[in-house]
Amino acid sequence: MGIMYKKILAAVNEHVNAEVAARYAMHLAKATGARIYLCYVAEKGIPDEAFRHAEESVKRLFHRAREMEVDAESVVATGSPAAEIKKLVLSEGIDLVFTATRHEDVNKRFYEGTTARRLSLSLPCSVALVRVVHLGRIHPGKLLVPLKARMCHISEWSYFTAMLARSFGSSVHLLHLTRPASTFFHGELHMSTSEWEKKIPHDISGFIHRLDHYGITHEKKLHPGRTGRNIMIEAAVKRHDLIIMGASERGLLRSLIRGNPVEEVLKETPCNLIILKLRHEDT
Amino acid sequence: MKIHNLSREDVFLNLVTSENGLSSSEARKRLNEFGPNEIRETSKTPLTVKFLRQFTHLLAVLLWIGAGLSFISEALHPGEGMLNLGLAIVAVIILNAIFTFIQEYRAEKAIEILRQLLPFQVRVIREGREVLIVAREVVPGDVILLSEGLKVPADARIIESANLMANNAPLTGEAEPVPLDSKPFCGELIESRNIAFAGSSIVSGRGCAVVFASGMSSEFGRIARLTSAVETGMSPLQKEIVKITRFIAVMASVMGIVFFMIGRLIGRSFWENFIFTIGLIVANVPEGLLPTVTLALVMGGRRMLKKKVLIKTLASVETLGSVTFICTDKTGTLTLNNMDLRQIAYGDRVFAADQIRSSRAEALFTTAYLCNNACHTDGRYIGDPTEVAILRASREFLGSRDSKRVFEIPFDSERKRMTTVNLVDGRTKAFTKGAAESIIPLCTHILLDGKSVPLEGERLDRIAETCRGLMDSGLRVLAFSYRDLGLAPPVDVHPKQIESGMVFAGLIGLEDPPRPEVREAVARCHGAGIKIAMITGDASRTAVAIAREIGLLKGEPEVIEGRDLATMSDRQLADRISGKEIIFARMTPKHKMRVVSVLQEMGERVAVTGDGVNDAPALKKADIGIAMGIAGTDVAKEAADMILLDDNFATIVNAIEEGRTVFENIRKFITYIFAHGTPEAIPYILFALIRIPLPLTVMQILAIDLGTETIPALALGVEPPESDVMKRPPRPRDKGLINSAVLIRGYLFLGFISTAGVLTAYFHVLLAGGWYWGMALPADAPLARQASTATFLSIVLMQIGTALACRTMTQSVAGRGLLSNSLMLWGILTEVLLSIFIIYHPWANRLFSTAPLGISVWLIMVPFMLLVIVADETRKYLYRGKVANKD
């Protein structure tokens, strides 16, 4: 299937959610045999305490990587995190960067911009943006993967999902979200699960086929209705531990008019969330 | 691996904290990372937006266009009354918006009540010191201190505990407190004994715990999120109304455009055509439909209240009628929740409870008496119904018993047993009671003829057989055992040590009798094609036996237990429950929402009962969430669509009958409203095509639609149910309010008879007044006004006949009795008086362009009124004959 992660970078800082995101990165590195770069970039004028916390975090992660027998390298630099990480990505040929976003960042993602958003937009490699809301689900046992009809980077997305599931021994639950079937005069139509399944789009079939190829067992479900809301409800009802979804392709204007399901889930996710901005083109 | 699986050290490592807690700066940082520890409402469409949407749906847009054209027309051609018409149309839009909004409106207070279950302040350790902080500022990694009487602010992993017991009722529905300790737990997080969950309260002991999930990420937040985020969507009635409005909007627009073009082709002026088009659209739009539907639902809701059902969302009145599946709790809903001892087994025999005399039952009753948390004070028994029943029987057998309880290992739903250690007659004894499968493995001996003998082989089989026999009689079975621990109380409490090597004392079978009216209610549901699934925490055999007793089961049911459900995929669950009789046994409320979701995906319209906080998501998810009025928590009541004031299953069935009746009645008055569309539209079309004087003004149409016919339409909304309403299967999803039968009966059958009467009256007045074919008559000429007034009056009078005919769909209206619907009589009287006012009062003459009429018009219309009734009776007779032949 062509995709392989050889070098994964985890952006670490003084925040605990960055450490949790780095743990995910480390497990993925373990499953893919990749080398992990634990990278901390100290901004100018950062308080000593924050610097100390970040350093301790890198140490803890490095120690854990050795325990897990993951090839790890720690990188500490000073300057602008986005710029320094970009430099490192280019010089080392990084395939994937893990970065975390915080509660306070969620509302200003679009309008003011955050380091995490800048990284996901500017880096030439794939980016996994992690939002941590629950510290108790250390190894996610149930992964929820919302899918839509037209998807890009299916190969990489399925590879990422399969490897993460393999590393944690998680079950994968695919959620195909679609608009309700309706006609002008009859309004919304009820369709049975088997009727819906006959209409599974080609891209989703491709995703399923790839998961099968990696030997990952999965359960699939189709849900007509509001995308963001239904992802959150499904995750809450079934107590999923981690949601993995693709980054939004909607621009600011379209998001303002039609809403943005990815931003909606990012804001109100009931469990930890990874948003993937992928770069590997499908072959 | 999750937090509850970890050792204390690993907990600190993973949460990046220590037993000294977080520093203040780290806590501040984490507050920014994770957000405040609070229960928030999921973002929702604001009420104002919801209200404004009522002005933008297709029918409203059509009416806005009509109003806009009227205002333009008034501006270009002043003095033709188009301003009044425009204002009237705007008033109609506002009226309809208000009434539709009322239907959809529901006050949401569940989240507010959930918030109150969290504490305001909490004691935490920060930088090694104990501090009191606002609960909102608790963050993951905080070490919180727990002690008796405190509420838990967030999900936290216990790291120290001393006799710590928590009441998890808001999460699990179990009122019994559970012991908490700090040992790693291998199982599901929600069932872990080392987690203190947000919203639970500490009943006794003390301890400390590290927070790992706060606010909406906690289990409590999960309930709040689901309660807030789950939207049932539009009710079946709302969907039907959307369909109707789309149908009418398209029909009115097409007719308007077509006849505008025909008018142009036959040479009428633009403005004549313009006015005509607006008139035709107004004639086709049933302006009174939405207010009438809303008022019918209000009245339906009031009738339901008399039947002990409180409706919270108006649209639910009708949704009830479309229910195809009821998921009901057993205890208290199907049964009386009056536990009573029925049978007792000790030694190797089974006895009826009222026949126990032998002293050999003493060990069993002593155990039952002492291992019991009910109490007898001031001549009254207080406690859980099961405990009270056991204590009462034990007291009656033993009299009062002196003993000192040393400690208790409380009941919990995982262990399915409780144990007390008591000092009895100078000795320390352990007494245990619980589910038979939980007690028997603890026992090594059994008491036979007063002697303790080994419990093995055939004796074990006999106990199991006795237990099955009791369960098959529908009894809730509890097993009892005891152990003599010696003279001194045990120093350390280790349940495993105390609850071992016990002597089996016997079994008690308790009956919770079914409510007397439930059997008939279940039969009515079956007759009405409604499936019922019992959801109970009882064992499957007990559940099946009760279900058989109340007639819920005819064949072998599909029994699904809670633990099986947890391992099934949705597809597997759907396959298991599809087309079968179902019993959900050993269930907890957390499973309900999943059951409801799967049933809805299978196309069922689901009603579900619930009373606990954690029932709230399922109550919201179901098409109809039914909260218990007596046993229900405030959260459940807020989340539900209706509240059963008597907690009785039979009341649900009565409410469904009322819901079906409301649906039928709405269909009746839609037929009635449609029936006037034809006599309003056809004279207009003739006016356009054959150049007769304007037969009806737009204001007269509005006077009919919003005035004269409103109360008779409402009266049709309160018609009593037809006798077969609960003998028909639920209407299929694709079978809406309007179908071809309703359209043909309304527009064509009743509509054309009415039109015949209307045109007769109209031409009678014109011809009697000297008009001849081709004679031009200005709209404000006295004769033209009289003729349009005759059209108005004849439509009103034909609607009286139509209203009487529409009182039944298929059965003869003769069997109803004229006085059985007094509102109908008042409605007809009001209709006639209002018409007299519009026709004979000068002020109304000016507003509606009417003129007084002679008695002859009234007399001409009487035979037509009767013709409508007779013709429809003939149709019903032929229909009944056809159905009888088919059967």
Side-chain angles (χ1 to χ4, degrees):
Chain A
M1 299 260 165
I3 308 283
M4 277 295 274
Y5 292 138
K6 292 197 177 75
K7 292 178 178 178
I8 298 172
L9 184 147
V12 184
N13 55 30
E14 69 274 25
H15 297 286
V16 71
N17 56 15
E19 188 168 333
V20 175
R23 287 179 204 157
Y24 287 143
M26 215 178 294
H27 277 87
L28 189 67
K30 170 87 179 165
T32 58
R35 179 181 174 83
I36 188 156
Y37 292 76
L38 301 165
C39 174
Y40 169 53
V41 182
E43 281 181 282
K44 221 175 175 183
I46 189 172
D48 288 348
E49 195 190 359
F51 186 82
R52 190 170 46 78
H53 279 187
E55 261 195 338
E56 281 169 5
S57 183
V58 171
K59 273 185 204 161
R60 271 194 303 271
L61 288 164
F62 195 78
H63 179 67
R64 185 170 284 205
R66 283 174 61 182
E67 277 178 355
M68 288 171 66
E69 295 176 349
V70 174
D71 183 13
E73 185 178 322
S74 59
V75 181
V76 179
T78 51
S80 153
E84 291 301 319
I85 288 173
K86 190 174 180 181
K87 263 192 234 167
L88 194 64
V89 165
L90 289 169
S91 64
E92 294 291 327
I94 302 286
D95 300 302
L96 173 67
V97 169
F98 271 75
T99 179
T101 188
R102 303 188 294 274
H103 171 82
E104 62 173 350
D105 292 341
V106 168
N107 287 327
K108 59 183 183 187
R109 260 173 57 80
F110 256 129
Y111 315 105
E112 295 169 47
T114 62
T115 302
R117 182 165 169 77
R118 275 194 290 276
L119 282 175
S120 69
L121 291 176
S122 67
L123 290 182
C125 64
S126 301
V127 177
L129 179 70
V130 184
R131 167 121 160 84
V132 178
V133 295
H134 198 292
L135 291 183
R137 294 157 177 180
I138 295 147
H139 286 186
K142 289 168 86 178
L143 308 185
L144 178 68
V145 185
L147 303 172
K148 56 178 184 170
R150 287 187 300 278
M151 300 193 296
C152 306
H153 313 288
I154 298 169
S155 301
E156 192 183 354
W157 192 348
S158 53
Y159 175 72
F160 181 96
T161 306
M163 291 304 114
L164 206 63
R166 189 179 286 171
S167 67
F168 286 118
S170 329
S171 57
V172 174
H173 300 254
L174 306 176
L175 180 66
H176 173 200
L177 294 149
T178 178
R179 278 188 198 167
S182 64
T183 62
F184 183 79
F185 284 115
H186 281 94
E188 219 171 282
L189 300 173
H190 178 82
M191 287 172 77
S192 67
T193 313
S194 54
E195 284 171 323
W196 276 117
E197 277 185 358
K198 285 178 198 156
K199 296 176 177 245
I200 284 189
H202 178 70
D203 286 353
I204 293 179
S205 305
F207 191 96
I208 291 169
H209 171 69
R210 284 170 171 84
L211 282 189
D212 291 338
H213 169 79
Y214 293 119
I216 301 296
T217 51
H218 50 83
E219 199 182 296
K220 59 180 182 292
K221 182 176 177 177
L222 192 142
H223 208 302
R226 282 179 62 184
T227 308
R229 178 64 55 97
N230 282 328
I231 294 171
M232 289 185 288
I233 290 174
E234 182 70 10
V237 170
K238 302 268 178 71
R239 291 192 168 81
H240 287 289
D241 300 317
L242 178 66
I243 302 172
I244 302 173
M245 64 192 297
S248 172
E249 283 149 26
R250 288 187 188 178
L252 180 60
L253 187 64
R254 207 163 145 229
S255 297
L256 285 174
I257 296 167
R258 296 192 53 199
N260 188 321
V262 177
E263 291 294 319
E264 208 180 322
V265 178
L266 185 68
K267 234 180 236 184
E268 301 199 27
T269 180
C271 61
N272 294 353
L273 165 74
I274 295 180
I275 297 173
L276 294 174
K277 180 89 179 170
L278 301 175
R279 303 284 186 204
H280 287 270
E281 291 304 329
D282 288 331
T283 47
Chain B
M1 185 172 66
K2 296 206 168 69
I3 197 79
H4 63 291
N5 308 133
L6 302 180
S7 66
R8 176 191 158 98
E9 291 71 31
D10 285 340
V11 168
F12 288 130
L13 190 68
N14 276 282
L15 300 180
V16 195
T17 185
S18 71
E19 56 196 5
N20 287 330
L22 301 170
S23 66
S24 300
S25 60
E26 179 65 17
R28 260 198 312 278
K29 208 168 64 187
R30 291 197 186 191
L31 194 60
N32 289 334
E33 279 180 53
F34 297 96
N37 175 41
E38 63 187 9
I39 297 302
R40 293 188 311 272
E41 187 105 22
T42 308
S43 57
K44 280 188 171 169
T45 315
L47 275 182
T48 43
V49 174
K50 281 186 182 171
F51 181 64
L52 290 174
R53 274 187 194 154
Q54 311 301 336
F55 294 93
T56 56
H57 58 74
L58 195 60
L59 192 65
V61 168
L62 189 71
L63 289 169
W64 280 122
I65 293 171
L69 292 175
S70 303
F71 293 133
I72 293 169
S73 179
E74 175 68 25
L76 298 174
H77 284 251
E80 291 192 9
M82 295 309 279
L83 179 66
N84 284 346
L85 178 61
L87 291 173
I89 295 174
V90 171
V92 168
I93 298 168
I94 295 169
L95 201 67
N96 278 332
I98 291 169
F99 277 98
T100 316
F101 181 71
I102 290 169
Q103 265 187 53
E104 289 177 13
Y105 176 77
R106 69 180 276 166
E108 295 275 2
K109 286 185 189 157
I111 297 298
E112 219 171 279
I113 295 168
L114 280 170
R115 274 192 202 119
Q116 289 165 10
L117 295 177
L118 290 183
F120 179 67
Q121 287 184 315
V122 61
R123 285 187 301 136
V124 299
I125 296 179
R126 293 256 171 102
E127 292 164 336
R129 284 183 294 120
E130 188 182 318
V131 287
L132 189 67
I133 62 165
V134 180
R136 189 179 178 275
E137 290 174 4
V138 167
V139 292
D142 258 330
V143 177
I144 53 171
L145 298 170
L146 305 170
S147 58
E148 190 175 327
L150 291 183
K151 286 179 182 172
V152 181
D155 288 356
R157 167 72 157 78
I158 306 288
I159 49 168
E160 274 176 35
S161 77
N163 300 322
L164 197 61
M165 304 253 309
N167 183 335
N168 284 342
L171 286 150
T172 61
E174 301 273 357
E176 292 288 339
V178 291
L180 298 180
D181 59 46
S182 59
K183 282 179 282 187
F185 180 85
C186 301
E188 286 298 311
L189 185 126
I190 184 74
E191 287 154 3
S192 175
R193 288 288 171 259
N194 60 27
I195 304 290
F197 290 104
S200 60
S201 48
I202 303 300
V203 176
S204 66
R206 49 193 299 122
C208 64
V210 190
V211 173
F212 60 87
S214 60
M216 295 299 277
S217 301
S218 65
E219 276 298 317
F220 191 70
R222 177 183 160 274
I223 292 175
R225 182 189 301 279
L226 290 173
T227 307
S228 164
V230 168
E231 284 170 344
T232 321
M234 281 198 284
S235 74
L237 181 65
Q238 285 160 344
K239 286 181 188 167
E240 286 306 313
I241 287 180
V242 169
K243 279 194 235 173
I244 292 171
T245 52
R246 284 184 179 175
F247 170 78
I248 289 168
V250 171
M251 189 185 74
S253 306
V254 169
M255 279 180 79
I257 293 164
V258 167
F259 283 99
F260 184 87
M261 286 159 73
I262 292 173
R264 293 294 288 168
L265 286 174
I266 61 173
R268 296 191 81 94
S269 73
F270 177 84
W271 286 109
E272 275 179 316
N273 274 318
F274 190 72
I275 293 166
F276 161 73
T277 303
I278 295 172
L280 200 61
I281 290 171
V282 174
N284 272 307
V285 173
E287 290 83 3
L289 177 67
L290 292 176
T292 316
V293 167
T294 310
L295 290 172
L297 292 175
V298 170
M299 288 155 92
R302 287 183 61 180
R303 285 196 302 278
M304 284 186 179
L305 191 57
K306 284 182 191 159
K307 293 180 178 178
K308 301 195 171 173
V309 174
L310 178 66
I311 289 289
K312 293 189 63 210
T313 320
L314 216 42
S316 307
V317 172
E318 187 279 326
T319 311
L320 262 169
S322 66
V323 160
T324 60
F325 210 109
I326 305 173
C327 295
T328 175
D329 293 326
K330 180 185 87 65
T331 306
T333 309
L334 293 170
T335 63
L336 290 163
N337 199 18
N338 276 343
M339 285 290 174
D340 206 4
L341 260 67
R342 279 283 169 260
Q343 294 198 300
I344 286 162
Y346 58 87
D348 52 2
R349 291 182 62 193
V350 179
F351 303 89
D354 53 2
Q355 290 173 354
I356 306 297
R357 301 284 178 270
S358 167
S359 59
R360 286 176 189 165
E362 190 175 334
L364 172 61
F365 279 117
T366 304
T367 308
Y369 186 105
L370 298 176
C371 185
N372 197 311
N373 282 334
C375 62
H376 182 249
T377 322
D378 300 333
R380 286 192 314 130
Y381 288 95
I382 299 164
D384 170 80
T386 305
E387 298 270 88
V388 164
I390 294 170
L391 183 66
R392 185 187 292 119
S394 307
R395 271 181 62 85
E396 280 167 10
F397 185 85
L398 298 169
S400 188
R401 192 88 196 205
D402 283 334
S403 154
K404 186 185 172 197
R405 186 180 288 188
V406 183
F407 62 82
E408 175 188 338
I409 306 167
F411 176 84
D412 84 67
S413 55
E414 284 307 302
R415 291 166 10 99
K416 294 191 193 111
R417 61 176 181 263
M418 72 173 280
T419 296
T420 60
V421 173
N422 297 55
L423 288 174
V424 187
D425 303 329
R427 295 193 69 82
T428 308
K429 290 185 178 178
F431 299 99
T432 303
K433 79 161 184 280
E437 68 268 25
S438 159
I439 299 294
I440 295 169
L442 310 177
C443 300
T444 53
H445 289 73
I446 180 170
L447 208 60
L448 281 180
D449 298 327
K451 289 179 191 157
S452 173
V453 294
L455 178 61
E456 54 196 8
E458 206 179 298
R459 283 178 188 140
L460 270 173
D461 295 341
R462 210 174 299 151
I463 293 174
E465 197 182 316
T466 306
C467 189
R468 283 196 293 272
L470 294 177
M471 283 181 176
D472 287 343
S473 335
L475 302 181
R476 180 180 282 183
V477 181
L478 288 173
F480 296 80
S481 61
Y482 65 92
R483 182 182 167 194
D484 193 333
L485 297 171
L487 291 171
V491 180
D492 206 359
V493 184
H494 284 297
K496 272 191 185 163
Q497 285 172 4
I498 291 169
E499 295 170 340
S500 63
M502 302 193 94
V503 180
F504 185 77
L507 300 166
I508 286 181
L510 296 117
E511 186 186 28
D512 179 12
R515 288 178 180 271
E517 58 278 45
V518 156
R519 199 178 167 83
E520 193 203 328
V522 168
R524 289 180 74 204
C525 277
H526 285 155
I530 300 166
K531 287 162 263 179
I532 306 167
M534 180 201 279
I535 299 182
T536 175
D538 279 348
S540 49
R541 281 175 175 273
T542 307
V544 168
I546 288 281
R548 287 201 195 286
E549 193 179 341
I550 58 173
L552 202 62
L553 302 176
K554 287 171 187 153
E556 275 309 306
E558 183 72 46
V559 181
I560 298 172
E561 294 203 354
R563 57 169 180 239
D564 302 332
L565 189 76
T567 60
M568 273 181 222
S569 69
D570 286 355
R571 171 66 72 87
Q572 287 168 326
L573 179 59
D575 288 344
R576 291 265 309 257
I577 62 183
S578 170
K580 296 171 195 133
E581 292 176 319
I582 313 150
I583 299 288
F584 291 101
R586 292 276 186 231
M587 294 281 280
T588 57
K590 70 182 176 195
H591 297 124
K592 265 189 194 167
M593 183 163 168
R594 190 154 164 238
V595 171
V596 170
S597 302
V598 170
L599 285 169
Q600 285 179 323
E601 279 162 25
M602 290 165 66
E604 304 285 0
R605 286 194 178 125
V606 186
V608 68
T609 63
D611 48 19
V613 170
N614 55 349
D615 281 329
L619 292 170
K620 276 294 286 289
K621 176 74 182 157
D623 296 278
I624 288 285
I626 305 168
M628 297 298 130
I630 300 168
T633 56
D634 289 347
V635 176
K637 288 176 193 170
E638 282 301 327
D641 300 294
M642 62 179 253
I643 300 169
L644 277 190
L645 299 179
D646 60 357
D647 293 9
N648 190 343
F649 178 80
T651 307
I652 301 174
V653 184
N654 293 337
I656 289 175
E657 183 182 20
E658 192 61 57
R660 286 189 175 195
T661 307
V662 166
F663 180 83
E664 291 285 293
N665 288 346
I666 291 175
R667 192 178 257 178
K668 284 173 191 171
F669 68 66
I670 282 181
T671 310
Y672 165 78
I673 286 171
F674 279 1
H676 78 232
T678 313
E680 283 179 359
I682 286 184
Y684 249 92
I685 294 166
L686 295 177
F687 157 75
L689 296 180
I690 59 173
R691 291 174 176 270
I692 56 174
L694 185 70
L696 197 65
T697 67
V698 180
M699 291 301 283
Q700 286 165 359
I701 290 172
L702 290 176
I704 295 166
D705 290 4
L706 290 170
T708 58
E709 73 174 18
T710 306
I711 299 179
L714 269 180
L716 287 171
V718 298
E719 277 294 325
E722 294 190 30
S723 58
D724 60 346
V725 74
M726 287 298 274
K727 289 176 187 155
R728 291 177 235 148
R731 68 185 157 89
R733 268 181 187 270
D734 55 354
K735 210 168 177 188
L737 263 177
I738 48 167
N739 52 21
S740 54
V742 170
L743 291 173
I744 292 169
R745 187 183 175 204
Y747 278 123
L748 299 182
F749 184 68
L750 298 170
F752 274 106
I753 297 171
S754 298
T755 307
V758 168
L759 290 177
T760 305
Y762 170 74
F763 283 113
H764 164 77
V765 170
L766 273 184
L767 295 171
W771 180 81
Y772 56 87
W773 209 264
M775 178 183 169
L777 203 58
D780 56 350
L783 183 58
R785 288 169 77 111
Q786 271 194 327
S788 70
T789 308
T791 308
F792 165 78
L793 175 65
S794 49
I795 290 174
V796 169
L797 295 178
M798 292 310 290
Q799 280 299 85
I800 292 173
T802 305
L804 293 171
C806 285
R807 289 187 63 194
T808 56
M809 303 283 277
T810 57
Q811 293 174 353
S812 171
V813 81
R816 289 256 139 170
L818 201 60
L819 299 174
S820 65
N821 185 346
S822 56
L823 187 61
M824 178 63 80
L825 295 179
W826 281 108
I828 291 171
L829 185 64
T830 315
E831 193 168 10
V832 171
L833 291 175
L834 199 58
S835 302
I836 289 171
F837 172 76
I838 289 172
I839 296 169
Y840 296 103
H841 196 282
W843 180 82
N845 289 164
R846 275 196 302 280
L847 184 66
F848 295 101
S849 307
T850 49
L853 293 172
I855 190 75
S856 63
V857 181
W858 293 80
L859 293 175
I860 284 169
M861 289 314 297
V862 173
F864 281 100
M865 272 172 62
L866 295 174
L867 178 64
V868 170
I869 298 168
V870 172
D872 202 49
E873 281 295 291
T874 311
R875 181 196 63 81
K876 290 170 192 166
Y877 175 77
L878 293 174
Y879 174 84
R880 289 197 300 273
K882 200 174 144 192
V883 171
N885 286 338
K886 215 175 175 182
D887 291 344

